[in-house]
Amino acid sequence: MDKRALVASALTAVLAMSQGAAIAQDSGKEKCFGITKAGQNDCANLADTHVCAGLSTLSDNAGEWKYVAKGTCKDMKGLTLAEAKAMFEATKKKK
């Protein structure tokens, strides 16, 4: 991939993420980690192994997330961003 395509791809990802955050705030949604099925995530994961929706390869991975209605994440046995980050960091330290 040439530099121009790489920069364009990165810029597109950043714009998509910022739009996604604005949509979530306006529509009463929150990020819920650890509840997505493979291929059904909403955007980048905590491990930075992908930056787009639909690219997760594992179900119920704590680093993957999707938007849910505010207040419903815990009911689905999901994690907040802080909880998911703590779990991710603990896993990295064990390796």
Side-chain angles (χ1 to χ4, degrees):
M1 184 181 290
D2 68 2
K3 287 182 184 180
R4 181 178 273 177
L6 183 61
V7 169
S9 177
L11 182 57
T12 300
V14 168
L15 290 173
M17 286 188 288
S18 65
Q19 282 182 323
I23 290 168
Q25 289 175 350
D26 292 342
S27 63
K29 294 190 180 271
E30 65 182 337
K31 288 182 182 181
C32 189
F33 289 80
I35 63 166
T36 63
K37 300 302 175 203
Q40 296 180 1
N41 63 299
D42 278 340
C43 205
N45 63 2
L46 292 179
D48 288 330
T49 57
H50 65 77
V51 294
C52 289
L55 295 180
S56 63
T57 57
L58 299 171
S59 293
D60 303 323
N61 182 305
E64 302 289 351
W65 61 272
K66 69 179 188 173
Y67 285 119
V68 297
K70 281 187 180 172
T72 63
C73 184
K74 287 295 175 196
D75 295 337
M76 293 184 231
K77 308 289 189 249
L79 305 168
T80 64
L81 174 59
E83 292 167 335
K85 280 185 177 181
M87 186 179 274
F88 180 70
E89 291 301 320
T91 303
K92 281 181 21 179
K93 289 179 183 178
K94 288 181 181 180
K95 291 182 180 181

